[in-house]
Amino acid sequence: MGRNGEYWKERFRQMENAQNDISESKAMEIQEQFERAQAAINGKINAWYQRLASNNGVSMAEARKMLSEQELKEFRWNVEEYIKYGKENAKNHAWEKQLENASARVHISRLESLKLEVQQEMEKLYGNYLDSVDSHIRDIYKKDFYHTAYEIQKGIGVGSSLQSLDANLVEKIVSKPWAVDGKNFSDRIWENKTKLINQVHNSLSAMCITGESPDRAIGEIAKNMNVSRSQAGRLVMTESAAFANKAREDCMKNLGVEEFEVVETLDTITCEYCQSMDGKHFSMKDFQIGVTAPPFHPNCRGCTCPYFDDEFTVGEKRAARGEDGKTYYAPSDMTYEEWKKSFVDGDKSRLLEAEDDEHLKKKIGKKYDEITRMRPPATLKDLESEYKDELNKIIENAPAEFKNILQQNLHNIKFAKLNAIGGNRINKKYGIFINLDSDAINPKGKWTSVMHEIGHSIDLQYGRLSHNKLFGDAIKKDFKVFTEEYARIYNMDMEETYEVIKKHFMKADIEESHVISDLFGGLSGNKCVGKTQHDKDYWKGKFALEHEAFAHFFSASVLCNEKKLSVIKNVFPTAYKEFLDLFGGLQ
């Protein structure tokens, strides 16, 4: 499916916005942890002060007094709880060792006990903070890797299998520094923690030296905690943006994309540098976060997307073949969940294998060269004009019973230059999207698939015409009569009969064979089926057979395809009569 630059920018902007929303929620969650920790620290300081304070405050001499025997026991109980918490939650081992040493000491000062209790709150805070960021960044990397693949494969119309991201691989990626200072997010978090602990300890010491009440110390600690809280929010947003773009880089390289483009959020707060980078494109080998790719600074809101210097040409490979050596269609209306189930989890049961130029050449021979050589310049305007002219001629020559209905439904037909080999689509509101490039070399015949989809649209718009019981019963009856007559004439069982029918009616070089192949597949549980057909699961749907028969009959009738009509009238005489009666009732 060919897409222009604006399509890719818009899709990846939406991805980046979604990532930003998730990261902002995570930043707020972590900042709330800072607020709770600050409240706990304030409580500890006030409780400590109330226990020791006199009118003149707490002197350094008082603070340096050793804990009483009972107070030391209480302190050790607290420390043992801290150590247990650290082991159960795999927190900082250096801090754990420091606590064990403190627990073993016979003497400890009142100030030191307060510092240890306050530090425990900060160790817990930063331990949880690191765990939250680590988990969040892993999720961001995986989500953006898969969503990048989904958007690209859906955008170009073909997809290939991707290996599930291995946990060890993700671990290596998120642990590796991306910034020029060589620090990863873990280094930054522990560096900020050490700085904050030193600041808090200094404030506590000053409180004791000056003999002041805790108000000033609590104010200083609050100020430093607020700075650290802001740093935490900024770190979450910046690291999230970095690893989202790292995921896009790795995915685009995996899919064979050769260039990427910088897409910045442009508004009144966008810096001049980011404004200058917006729209620039680079080779994938030059992808470097902070240099050629966002984030260029903390809280940068830019992202990257694939860049193609032209729109796709037919058969151009934009997606690598999967592990099974095959490439599959990825329809534009495919949901992310459907895509992941097919291309990551490996369920290909509902996919149609894409065919490249060589396969098509073998199928349609000289016709391929003739069409591709004579096709007009690859612009949507030219192709759309050509198709509209042809459509008017088709309607003019269509049988009378179809003419008015086609005229009434012209507004539902939408043209799109999709390029990659792929079918036309009908959406939930019955609009038809014509894949102009692929339809021109459709081995079933130009306009065949388009009219098939228009048939589906008309069927739905006029109250599901195909659900008519006489029509459905006639299809099954005609199939039974046809196959049983074959079996009687050739004295064969049904399995042998199916093989003979396939040989006679479903040859790859017979243009009209796909009608019989598809419907006979549905009627026989795919026992009697050729190369073109829906899968078994499709036929389990209620009225699936009637829907497809209606569309096949409609396409052949409107296009006046005598070969196909001859086969349809021969195999489904009663059903075709009922089909014409359905339209007679609409006049």
Side-chain angles (χ1 to χ4, degrees), residues 458-474:
I458 288 171
D459 179 15
L460 295 170
Q461 286 186 79
Y462 287 89
R464 289 175 168 75
L465 294 171
S466 64
H467 291 199
N468 180 281
K469 189 175 187 304
L470 291 175
F471 179 59
D473 289 346

Side-chain angles (χ1 to χ4, degrees), residues 3 28 57 72 159 170 240 282 307 317 537 556:
R3 301 293 191 181
M28 289 175 65
L72 186 60
V170 176
S240 299
F282 304 90
Y307 175 82
K317 299 298 178 297
D537 287 339

Side-chain angles (χ1 to χ4, degrees), residues 482 486 500-507 510 512-514 516-517 520 567 570-571:
F482 183 79
Y486 245 88
V500 172
I501 290 172
K502 283 197 285 186
K503 185 177 179 182
H504 286 184
F505 285 94
M506 302 179 193
K507 294 178 182 177
I510 298 179
E512 61 273 16
S513 67
H514 74 279
I516 301 300
S517 174
F520 272 40
V567 172
N570 180 29
V571 180

Side-chain angles (χ1 to χ4, degrees), residues 546-566:
E546 290 84 347
H547 279 303
E548 290 307 318
F550 185 97
H552 281 306
F553 293 0
F554 180 86
S555 179
S557 299
V558 171
L559 295 174
C560 302
N561 189 319
E562 293 304 326
K563 286 184 178 180
K564 289 184 182 179
L565 284 172
S566 175

Side-chain angles (χ1 to χ4, degrees), residues 171-374:
E171 162 75 24
K172 289 178 183 177
I173 291 168
V174 301
S175 299
K176 189 175 179 181
W178 58 266
V180 291
D181 62 4
K183 295 176 184 176
N184 62 20
F185 67 89
S186 178
D187 297 331
R188 298 181 198 287
I189 288 173
W190 291 127
E191 189 178 83
N192 292 340
K193 182 203 75 170
T194 302
K195 182 179 178 181
L196 180 60
I197 287 172
N198 288 336
Q199 290 170 335
V200 170
H201 282 181
N202 288 339
S203 295
L204 295 176
S205 296
M207 175 185 73
C208 294
I209 291 170
T210 60
E212 293 179 335
S213 70
D215 295 349
R216 181 175 174 182
I218 287 174
E220 287 179 352
I221 291 169
K223 182 180 178 181
N224 291 325
M225 287 285 282
N226 283 335
V227 171
S228 296
R229 178 175 171 273
S230 297
Q231 287 174 339
R234 187 164 59 246
L235 182 143
V236 170
M237 297 304 294
T238 307
E239 294 289 332
S240 299
F243 283 100
N245 279 297
K246 174 62 179 168
R248 290 170 201 141
E249 175 194 7
D250 292 345
C251 183
M252 286 191 282
K253 284 180 177 176
N254 184 291
L255 294 179
V257 175
E258 295 177 357
E259 291 187 71
F260 71 96
E261 182 171 352
V262 177
V263 183
E264 285 287 349
T265 301
L266 299 178
D267 53 29
T268 56
I269 62 172
T270 307
C271 72
E272 288 185 11
Y273 184 77
C274 288
Q275 289 179 31
S276 70
M277 291 298 290
D278 182 59
K280 288 188 177 180
H281 55 93
F282 304 90
S283 169
M284 284 303 302
K285 64 182 175 59
D286 295 324
F287 196 111
Q288 187 176 347
I289 293 172
V291 180
T292 58
F296 298 114
H297 54 76
N299 280 332
C300 183
R301 297 170 298 154
C303 67
T304 52
C305 74
Y307 175 82
F308 304 111
D309 58 4
D310 57 2
E311 294 188 352
F312 299 121
T313 54
V314 174
E316 184 177 0
K317 299 298 178 297
R318 294 295 198 187
R321 291 185 180 275
E323 291 178 2
D324 57 1
K326 296 177 180 178
T327 303
Y328 299 87
Y329 293 126
S332 60
D333 59 355
M334 193 178 209
T335 66
Y336 175 74
E337 288 71 23
E338 291 169 341
W339 173 87
K340 189 172 184 296
K341 183 179 180 182
S342 299
F343 293 107
V344 179
D345 301 337
D347 180 2
K348 302 291 193 306
S349 61
R350 290 181 174 272
L351 293 180
L352 180 63
E353 187 179 346
E355 295 170 295
D356 58 22
D357 288 1
E358 292 306 314
H359 285 100
L360 286 167
K361 284 179 183 178
K362 288 177 183 176
K363 267 190 175 183
I364 58 180
K366 292 180 180 178
K367 188 176 179 183
Y368 176 89
D369 294 322
E370 179 185 335
I371 290 171
T372 53
R373 185 176 65 252
M374 295 180 66

